[in-house]
Each structure stands twice: as C-alpha cells, then as structure tokens.
Amino acid sequence: MNNPIIVYQENILQITPPTLEKLICWVHQLGGCLLYTTPNTNHSLCRWIVGLVPMIVHKGLEIQTADQSLTVSPLHLIDTITEQAETDPECPIWIGYVGYDFKDWLEEPGLYQGLKDSEFDYCHLAIYRYVLEIDTIKAEARLYTLAVEGLDASFPELDFNASCYFSAFHVSNLNTNKNREQFICDVETIKKYIRAGDIYQANLTRVITGHFEGSVELLALNLLKSNNIEFGGFFSNQGKTIISTSPERFFKVEGNRITTSPIKGTIPRTDNEAENQRRVFQLTNDTKNRRELAMIVDLLRNDLSRVCLPGSVTVNSFPELIALNNVYHLVAHISGQLGKKSFETIAKALFPGGSISGCPKIRACQIIEELEKIARGPYTGMLGYIRKNQDMDFNILIRTVMLANSKLRFNVGGGITLLSDPDDEFMETCHKARNILATIQPQK
Amino acid sequence: MTPKRIILFDNYDSYTHNLYHLLTVSIPETDIQVCRNTNRQLFSENFDLLVGGPGPCTPNETGVLKELFDKKIIPQQIPYFGVCLGMQFLAWYYGYPIKRSQNPTHGDTILLKHSGTTLFQNLPQKFPVARYNSLEVDVYDLTQSPFEILATEENTNAVMALRHKTLPLYGIQFHPESFITQFGKEILHNFYKQVFSNE
C-alpha cells in the first residue's frame, strides 16, 4: 500500500449505552478492544472506550489492513495517520496494546536478546470500524462509524437487539514456571547485581498458567467486576484475548500536558478495618517502599524530560495511597509540558514503563531477560487509545490475563531492591495473584 | 558571550535527562548535546565542558570515556563534571580504588560534611542530597592523591565531592538532579562559576 492511509468519519450517533455484557459480546465476536473503568462515585469522569471490527492494524513492524494487504511500517505512521484523519478531534483513532517485548525495537539494536512471544503480536493498535465512547456517569454514548479511503472490504453491522448469553468456564492444571525456591534464588541474583553496582532496582515476575475451557466472555465479565479497576480492558482478536484489571496509568496526554503515575509499594488488605489502618500507616512510612518509589519517580522524571520542555517536569504528589479490594499501593504523579505531541516520540522516550522494568532501565531489562528467560508478551506493555487531537491515555498492563489456544496465563511480580526480603517478595506475588485466582477458580 | 558547548556523556543511564534539564536551568547560555558513551564522533568535536553522567556498573565500563580523557580532556584541559559513576571514574582514572560501599543505598537522602567552598559556596551546612550508589571512593584512599576532597557523607568516609588540585576536573557522588536533592541547581551553578569565571 503506497498511498497514504486516510481515515474519515461516516457519522456520529448519540445512542443509549449498551450494557457491559453486550460490549463484551461484541468485542469477542467482532474483534475489538474495550477500555474499562469500574463505575465509581469517586471518579467525576468514568469513560469506557470501545473499538469494534478492526480495519487497519499496526503490529509494531508492519501494518495489516482488512483487505489483507500488508506493509512494513515504522511507528511514525501512527502519528501521520492520526494527523491526516478527517474526523471529530475527540474521536479515538487508535485503540489497542503495545507488548513489553516491543522495547527491543525502540532502543538501539543489540542491547536486548530479541525475545518474542509465540502467541501475541508485538503490538495491536487498530483503527476500528465502530468506536464507542461511553460516559457511564451521565449514561450517554457516542458511536463513531469510520471508514478508510480505498479499503476494499465489507464490514458487519452492529446488532443492538441480539441477546447475549454467557455459558460457564473452567480453569484446570494451574501451574507456575517458578516455585518459591526458584523465585527466591532470582531475587538473590538481583540483589547481587545491585551490590555490584549494575542496577538499583529490577522488577521480577513469574508466570502462572492454566488450561481454559468455556466462555471467554464470562471470564472477561467476572475479571472486570472482580476489583476496583481504574485502567482495565478486554481485547479480543482471532482467538487471542487479553483481560486487564490494571490499577496503574502509564501516561496520559491532554492538550500539551503529559502525566505519568507509577505505582510502587504493596501491602495486602484484610477484612479488619483497624488492622487495615495500621497497614496503611506501615506502607506509607516503610523505608523500602519510599526509596523504591523515589527511584522510580526520578526514572520517570527522566523519561518525561526526554519529551518535555526544560524545567517543566514536576512531581505533583509523593506518595498517594490507592485502595483495591485485595491490596493497598503507593502511587506518585509526575507531569510536564510536551515539546512535541507525538505517539512515536513519547513511546520511544517512555517505553517500557519504569515501574515494571527497573533502574537504570536498560541494564535492568537485560537482567530481567537473563532471569525470566521468556518473553513477557503483552504483559507489562501498555493498553490504551489515541484520539484524533493526539490526546492519549495508556495503562500499564499488569494484573492481566492472556488467553490463546485454551492456554491461560498471567504474570505476577514485584520490584526488587537491596532492601528486599526474598520471602516477602515471593509472598507479595501471591497477594497480587489472589484476586485473579479467586475469579478464575470461583468454586474454591 | 558565546554559548558554552556542553557534551552530556550518557552511560546508558536512566537519570541522564534529569541532569540535562538541570544543566539547562542552572547554566546560562548553553548548547547541550547528549551523547552515548559509545559515540566516537566526540574525538573530532569541539566542546567547552564534558559532563560525565551516572550509570550502571563500574568506571571500567564507561565506553570511550578513558580514551577521551587520554586524548582530549587531559591534553586540552577541558573542564569535566562527573556525577556518581562519572565521579568514580575520575578517582579510577588516576589509579585509586573503587570499593563496595559500607552503606549502599538507593533513593535515600543523606547529609554532607562539606567545605563550604567551591561547589558548596553559599550553601547551608546541612541539606539533604540523594544517593544512588553501591560503589564508592574512600576518603583515606585519596590522602596522597591529586584530589582535594570537597565533601564526605556525614557519618562515613565516603567521598561525596572532589576536585583535581590543578586541572578543572570535578565530581560529585550524589545526584544533584534528583527530586529529593536540595540545591542541585546551586551546586551546578557554583561549578560553572568556578570553571568559567575568568573569561
């Protein structure tokens, strides 16, 4: 395809918001991506963004269109296509994920091993035929119908009346690639690297796998309802599924302002309110957590400084508490004034996220590859959208289930510093897994 | 005054661009270029100041920095300012040992015992600075060295700032660019005045 890809808007409709169940059905049947926030009175703004029926897909190194033509594509085409699109400035143009392993293509060659996931594409950022933006507080929805000039393909209509029925699902043969002893051994290795001066911090994860049978839609619905989720999502395309219950924003661009909100520090939540109060105090005053958050804040200040005007990068809160059903976290907010508003520039400066890689980032990523040995796939990448006006919002893909060919998997991990207690670090991965495990094995 | 051309020597670190922003706001009239430590073009370029950034691993793993000192920085007496690994490099370059720190810490602030002169002119006696290091230079190893010690950690023998007695070479172990360090901007400005005030 040598001609520029021009996206244009056929129409915008105000519609009654479809139910979450309906959206999940559509995403699964038509191929799509839902960006989800738990409706919650604490949020003044609660938006769901949904893309249905992919027309153009950027897979990181190539672009695929619905009429099957394929072209090698650099990342800047994302910006070019967005800028040339003929539509409402608020219209979400690209929706989807960038997987962690895509980091190799954003740095100079030869730094990383080139791990690639066998099931998931590096990226799946798509322009969809139908884009819905739903305001769940006001119960309003906008439906954009988009088209691509010269694209020779026909697309299904959205069926608003079809009923959706979810059957049951079953997960069996749960296993992990690293038991307690192996995980602890890796924590010790990281501490040796820290002692030798290689790094200050690295995020180590392990994989939990299982055999999945039954309704993907019900799994998605239950996971999205399983926690207080601010940056969740459900992606489905040709048998590949990602369901995210992420509490973490990677970055948000609004106007010329970019904000990033790394999470560091975790403590499990209990049923006892007095005990929880004590734990919150412990978390916010704990030396290891505060130092770790400080180093990640400096790391993200650095990454924002690569794209922001000198002197404009500020730390707005350090730290702030997040309460989830199963755990408490600490989060910080860092923001700056963008010099240039471009997805490619921002991705090259920020990706992969500092809170899920380590510091210094390149050396930490090398050590992670050495210890984890396998590709992370979409996990610890990002999921989000880019509007026509190049406002964008992406999460960090953590607490995320990936499903392909009846194989279910999710990673759990944590940040390792010199102050890490190896046993505690393993237990932390168990606490983080608790919520997903309870959802995928509801009877236990 | 023509802008000073500064090379910020990036040791594949994740705090380099914090330092870039700090340099921009601390030093007037500058033209700063960030170069990775593998960049051989530096040998043929003209610049007024080399800033040796922080980074992973040891001073022996700083790309072309040693060669750059041999061929350019020392013969041409080009001013140098090293941060963390960039300071350790100075001690290592002159043959002094870099040891594992007795008190390795990352993302924590410490207090300095400093001279009140040069880099620390007009600064209070006690203020917090951020440390991110597992390796250090011991003050007792530098007693017969060409270096003047400008600061140590308040309660240890770890060197926190030094300068060469005759050449315009400076280094600090702590991170002036961290958001938990106070007076980073003033320290860089003091350095600039020290090195370029005679012009």
Side-chain angles (χ1 to χ4, degrees), chain B residues 54-66:
Chain B
C57 303
T58 68
N60 197 20
E61 293 151 279
T62 50
V64 302
L65 190 54
K66 182 178 180 299

Side-chain angles (χ1 to χ4, degrees), chain A residues 108 194-195 197 291 298 302 361, chain B residues 12 14 17 57 101 134 178:
Chain A
E108 58 180 64
I194 296 172
R195 204 66 192 81
R291 287 183 190 174
D298 269 336
N302 177 80
K361 195 192 278 181
Chain B
Y12 290 81
S14 290
H17 289 265
C57 303
S101 171
S134 295
S178 171

Side-chain angles (χ1 to χ4, degrees), chain A residues 1 24 39 51-52 99 143 155 186 189 261 299 315 356 416:
Chain A
M1 228 159 59
I24 287 173
L52 298 165
L143 172 64
F155 301 106
D186 287 350
T189 306
S261 306
L299 170 55
V315 180
I356 49 72
I416 312 301

